[in-house]
Amino acid sequence: MDIDDIEELHAAGSVSTQDVSRRSKNVGVRTAKMNNDRIKSIRNGEREKATAMVPGTEKIWVRTFGCSHNISDAEFMAGQLHEYGYCLLDDVESEFADLWLINSCTVKGPSQSAVGNLVRRARELDIPVVVSGCVPQGQKDAGELKGVSMLGVTQIDRVVEAVEETLKGNTVSMLAKKELPKLDLPKIRKNPYVEIVPLSTGCLGACTYCKTKHARGHLGSYSPDVLVERVKSAVEDPLVREIWLSSEDTGAYGRDIQTTLPELLDSLIAVLPADGRVMLRVGMTNPPFILEHLDRIGQALRHPLCFSYLHVPVQSGSDAVLEKMNREYTRAEFETVCDTLLAAVPDMELATDIIAGFPGETAEDHEETMTLIRKYRFPHCHISQFYPRPGTPAARMKKVPTSIVKTRSREITAEVDSWTDAYKHLMGRIVRCCVVDTAADKVSVVGHSKTYAQVLLMPDAPDGSGPIMGCVVEAEIYWVGRWSVKGKVLRVIYRPPSDTASAKRLGTTVTPSPDTKPSSAQQQRAHSSTGIPTPKTSHETGWHQVESKSQNITTEKLETTQDGPDTAKVIILLSLILALSSILLSSFSAMFE
């Protein structure tokens, strides 16, 4: 049954009309090691067992592509699913899921193709799929989306509805644009030490190559008060070391609500702990919208509680190409941004993006890009070959031959890789680091310095006090490389309380206040002794549960505004009786075989 929006089911009487509020998640892909029939057999057998018990306990695998804003959306969706009682699976268990939730990205062709590959794999395994994010929002008729449920970028607070209906065999489409999702939804952080706070959605630009604008739309900013409350809530978690401000264009924040990014930064910095255990990272900004605020942006980036790091994409060093891209600034204006911030902020680290081989780019245009990156020697320079995105003006422009695009891309990459002295100035320095991740070698841990340099450290404190993951440490830099540096930990400045860290890491839900209704997930876990499957903790699925400010959660299955709590108890009791009957019948059948 195909449904354009869930309201059509409500109108038909198939589903009772209610509001559902909750949180989100993100994951990865794995090649099957068993044949498809065997996987289907195992999964379908488990699905039958679950169906005989309590609805809402199915297993969900979530995979996210794209930017930090997408990751944040996934974290909110995972939180809502977990709160409702669904079991969130790890990557290695993905093929035994009852449903895949794929949060998509439309920036480049390869990321959208990856979504299509996953959808095809799900069909091979007979797994229902919900695709959320920018691909369905920006191109709902894309071939890879045929026959799958779709959830729009402003509809993430309805993920439970989309999942429920898809599990029933319906194909739903929830793509209508509406007001921004609330920031107090339940949430499960993929990295327990990093809180991602979306400032806005959409942008004010109209770049000719960009598909994201089709999905995210025009700028819509959250109010400063809402963002301050979100940050205040995040820093109450002793594990949080970094807060990332995310947006399609951070510099444009507030222009639709008569405020500015510098004003917001002042308000957010004011609520951070004075001891420096939480650092603020300002997200990507395009040049046009920070030119008038450079002095105040520099002031914020100099603050001890804010990383001296900013991502400012230039895309090309040629004014002719920038005009074709409709980037709304010149090379000289981009250089003004760089020169002002580098002069105003000690050891300021700038990152940028380059698109190689944009339509119409000449050899002279390419050389202008080379001279620009040589001038600033950006420690981080993200290089991408031009990918035409369907429906964009650039897709209709005359393309540069693929062989030339690849040659130019390799030349830029070789130049960037050659700057082996990018972190030479850090050699021998003592730096303060927030330790938030594990390095690629799976041994070292990663800390970020004030300039957001990646500092590789040994995982345990030298004083024997234990692992330093989640700590703030002081380290001396003894080795510098092209992309990272290595440091020796001198002392631990801040360590999260051991009891809180342990509980949070296991995904333990904070005990609700007396006037808080238990969530459906809590109710289901309370009856685990009856044989009802218990969802895995967020620790087991690689997610970190965050306490929600939304205390009174209405769940469609167990608590309804129409039926009241007495009916909900009857529903639970009947579900338990059915589950126990199924178990007893199975036992008797086995005895007489």
Side-chain angles (χ1 to χ4, degrees):
M1 179 179 183
D2 290 346
I3 306 161
D4 285 338
D5 198 282
I6 200 75
E7 278 81 6
E8 294 187 13
L9 278 180
H10 292 164
S14 300
V15 176
S16 58
T17 305
Q18 298 152 39
D19 293 325
V20 182
S21 301
R22 312 160 196 35
R23 304 172 176 147
S24 142
K25 153 182 184 182
N26 158 354
V27 187
V29 190
R30 160 182 178 263
T31 304
K33 294 189 177 179
M34 285 189 279
N35 65 59
N36 293 348
D37 291 340
R38 174 62 175 154
I39 291 170
K40 288 179 186 178
S41 174
I42 294 173
R43 192 183 63 254
N44 290 337
E46 292 183 352
R47 188 179 293 168
E48 288 172 8
K49 292 178 186 176
T51 303
M53 298 177 187
V54 174
T57 59
E58 291 92 341
K59 301 179 291 297
I60 312 295
W61 179 63
V62 186
R63 173 71 163 102
T64 291
F65 296 89
C67 65
S68 57
H69 194 164
N70 253 27
I71 295 172
S72 176
D73 285 351
E75 291 177 343
F76 280 123
M77 287 190 287
Q80 292 171 80
L81 293 171
H82 178 80
E83 188 80 10
Y84 199 71
Y86 289 109
C87 174
L88 304 179
L89 297 186
D90 257 337
D91 297 12
V92 295
E93 303 170 301
S94 62
E95 293 178 344
F96 301 103
D98 296 302
L99 179 141
W100 284 3
L101 171 62
I102 304 171
N103 197 31
S104 62
C105 171
T106 190
V107 169
K108 300 177 185 177
S111 59
Q112 184 163 339
S113 296
V115 172
N117 292 337
L118 278 179
V119 170
R120 282 189 288 275
R121 180 59 180 157
R123 287 190 178 122
E124 291 172 0
L125 297 171
D126 194 27
I127 297 176
V129 175
V130 175
V131 177
S132 61
C134 293
V135 172
Q137 191 71 71
Q139 191 181 354
K140 64 181 181 181
D141 58 350
E144 57 264 38
L145 300 180
K146 186 176 181 180
V148 303
S149 291
M150 296 181 284
L151 189 67
V153 295
T154 60
Q155 300 276 355
I156 62 172
D157 54 355
R158 301 177 66 193
V159 65
V160 171
E161 295 175 77
V163 166
E164 282 187 304
E165 293 306 321
T166 304
L167 285 169
K168 292 176 185 176
N170 297 318
T171 301
V172 301
S173 176
M174 301 179 180
L175 300 176
K177 290 287 185 71
K178 63 185 186 68
E179 63 182 15
L180 296 174
K182 292 183 178 180
L183 294 183
D184 61 355
L185 292 169
K187 185 176 189 180
I188 297 180
R189 290 193 296 269
K190 183 61 177 174
N191 184 331
Y193 310 106
V194 176
E195 170 75 15
I196 302 173
V197 179
L199 302 186
S200 58
T201 190
C203 68
L204 295 175
C207 299
T208 57
Y209 57 84
C210 183
K211 186 76 173 176
T212 305
K213 181 66 179 272
H214 294 196
R216 295 283 182 178
H218 200 66
L219 178 68
S221 303
Y222 285 98
S223 75
D225 290 345
V226 167
L227 295 169
V228 168
E229 284 304 310
R230 180 72 232 177
V231 170
K232 285 171 67 175
S233 174
V235 300
E236 290 174 1
D237 185 341
L239 286 186
V240 172
R241 297 282 73 78
E242 298 179 6
I243 293 177
W244 296 0
L245 304 182
S246 176
S247 173
E248 279 65 58
D249 186 356
T250 303
Y253 168 78
R255 286 175 175 259
D256 57 325
I257 56 173
Q258 290 71 56
T259 187
T260 66
L261 177 63
E263 291 173 330
L264 176 67
L265 294 179
D266 289 344
S267 299
L268 297 182
I269 289 171
V271 300
L272 298 179
D275 61 6
R277 69 177 182 266
V278 181
M279 294 287 288
L280 191 70
R281 193 185 85 166
V282 181
M284 185 274 288
T285 178
N286 287 310
F289 301 111
I290 60 166
L291 277 165
E292 65 188 87
H293 301 306
L294 285 175
D295 289 340
R296 291 192 62 189
I297 294 291
Q299 179 182 341
L301 297 176
R302 285 196 304 271
H303 195 283
L305 302 180
C306 188
F307 287 114
S308 302
Y309 171 90
L310 194 61
H311 179 196
V312 189
V314 65
Q315 307 300 5
S316 174
S318 163
D319 282 343
V321 174
L322 291 174
E323 186 175 357
K324 289 185 178 74
M325 292 178 170
N326 196 31
R327 290 289 288 170
E328 300 180 343
Y329 58 86
T330 64
R331 171 177 174 149
E333 288 172 326
F334 174 78
E335 290 185 346
T336 296
V337 172
C338 296
D339 294 341
T340 303
L341 293 178
L342 290 170
V345 185
D347 297 326
M348 177 73 197
E349 184 164 318
L350 289 171
T352 197
D353 298 347
I354 299 291
I355 296 176
F358 189 81
E361 182 186 72
T362 65
E364 292 75 20
D365 294 328
H366 171 66
E367 185 55 34
E368 288 188 60
T369 296
M370 296 299 293
T371 62
L372 180 68
I373 63 173
R374 287 178 186 132
K375 177 178 180 179
Y376 292 104
R377 297 168 67 90
F378 302 99
H380 292 95
C381 188
H382 311 110
I383 305 154
S384 173
Q385 297 176 28
F386 171 72
Y387 290 101
R389 305 302 295 125
T392 62
R396 299 189 294 272
M397 297 178 184
K398 185 177 180 179
K399 298 176 182 59
V400 175
T402 302
S403 60
I404 295 177
V405 174
K406 290 182 176 180
T407 298
R408 291 176 183 174
S409 176
R410 285 194 292 266
E411 186 178 346
I412 298 170
T413 301
E415 177 66 32
V416 171
D417 288 348
S418 72
W419 303 332
T420 55
D421 60 349
Y423 292 114
K424 184 179 179 180
H425 63 287
L426 292 179
M427 186 67 179
R429 284 200 191 179
I430 295 175
V431 297
R432 183 185 178 105
C433 302
C434 297
V435 184
V436 296
D437 211 342
T438 302
D441 64 8
K442 305 298 181 185
V443 176
S444 307
V445 293
V446 178
H448 290 128
S449 69
K450 175 71 163 69
T451 62
Y452 214 69
Q454 183 173 262
V455 183
L456 306 183
L457 306 162
M458 295 307 292
D460 295 307
D463 61 4
S465 59
I468 61 171
M469 183 66 80
C471 296
V472 179
V473 303
E474 195 173 72
E476 181 178 4
I477 306 303
Y478 67 86
W479 178 89
V480 296
R482 172 61 190 91
W483 306 107
S484 62
V485 302
K486 293 182 180 179
K488 177 183 179 181
V489 176
L490 302 178
R491 66 188 181 103
V492 176
I493 299 171
Y494 173 83
R495 179 183 293 279
S498 57
D499 55 342
T500 304
S502 175
K504 290 281 185 178
R505 207 163 17 244
L506 290 171
T508 304
T509 305
V510 177
T511 304
S513 57
D515 60 343
T516 302
K517 295 179 181 179
S519 69
S520 60
Q522 292 166 335
Q523 290 171 320
Q524 288 161 6
R525 284 192 288 273
H527 295 96
S528 60
S529 61
T530 65
I532 299 171
T534 302
K536 290 190 175 184
T537 66
S538 52
H539 171 65
E540 291 174 289
T541 57
W543 294 84
H544 171 78
Q545 188 172 351
V546 181
E547 183 182 10
S548 172
K549 293 285 185 180
S550 300
Q551 295 292 347
N552 295 317
I553 295 172
T554 306
T555 55
E556 285 186 284
K557 291 184 182 295
L558 301 181
E559 300 167 356
T560 75
T561 54
Q562 296 174 348
D563 296 331
D566 291 338
T567 303
K569 291 176 182 177
V570 171
I571 293 172
I572 295 170
L573 184 58
L574 288 173
S575 298
L576 293 174
I577 291 170
L578 286 171
L580 289 171
S581 299
S582 175
I583 293 168
L584 290 171
L585 285 171
S586 297
S587 300
F588 281 123
S589 297
M591 288 173 61
F592 289 102
E593 284 180 355

